Amino acid sequence: MDEHPMKTLVERMYAAAMAGDLDAVDDIFAPHFHSHPMGTTGVEAIRDAWREIRDRYPSLRVVADQIVAEGDTVAVRSTVHGTSQTGEPATLMEMMRIENGRIAELWAASTVKLR
């Protein structure tokens, strides 16, 4: 991947999420972070979501296949492994707005079928 600062931030987010590194949330997300899919504001909702997802899907692995950055926006197309009973991977599309080096806002759509 390119060494673009916003792409690096997104890669850090995925690495922290996959490692269950809840302490990294404060460095990655803006304090007023807003998740449109979850309908939440603030970083505590991210910690809770990461805990729940890791507990429910211990073999979860998200691979960022493509990251595109322009202006204050990053778009990511990822492959999600470990959520399907059939073993089939899913696709995740996310778009994030970056503010002062942190993720401030997120939109997402996926083909993940949670069991």
Side-chain angles (χ1 to χ4, degrees):
M1 303 263 168
D2 296 349
E3 289 302 317
H4 190 286
M6 291 194 308
K7 291 181 180 182
T8 302
L9 176 64
V10 170
E11 290 169 339
R12 281 183 54 218
M13 178 195 68
Y14 281 116
M18 295 304 91
D21 183 359
L22 302 179
D23 294 332
V25 168
D26 292 319
D27 294 330
I28 295 169
F29 295 92
H32 59 279
F33 168 77
H34 182 75
S35 169
H36 291 273
M38 293 191 306
T40 59
T41 299
V43 296
E44 202 54 45
I46 292 297
R47 279 189 195 78
D48 292 344
W50 285 11
R51 267 188 218 101
E52 183 179 332
I53 289 168
R54 294 302 303 163
D55 288 348
R56 190 170 183 185
Y57 304 102
S59 62
L60 176 74
R61 188 170 52 92
V62 179
V63 178
D65 299 312
Q66 184 176 20
I67 303 175
V68 178
E70 181 178 312
D72 67 350
T73 304
V74 178
V76 186
R77 178 181 52 82
S78 302
T79 304
V80 180
H81 304 271
T83 61
S84 167
Q85 292 180 351
T86 65
E88 290 295 315
T91 300
L92 171 64
M93 301 289 293
E94 294 177 297
M95 188 166 73
M96 296 163 240
R97 184 177 60 80
I98 310 300
E99 181 180 286
N100 298 320
R102 292 186 181 166
I103 300 169
E105 201 168 4
L106 179 136
W107 298 261
S110 79
T111 62
V112 173
K113 291 177 177 60
L114 301 176
R115 46 186 152 123

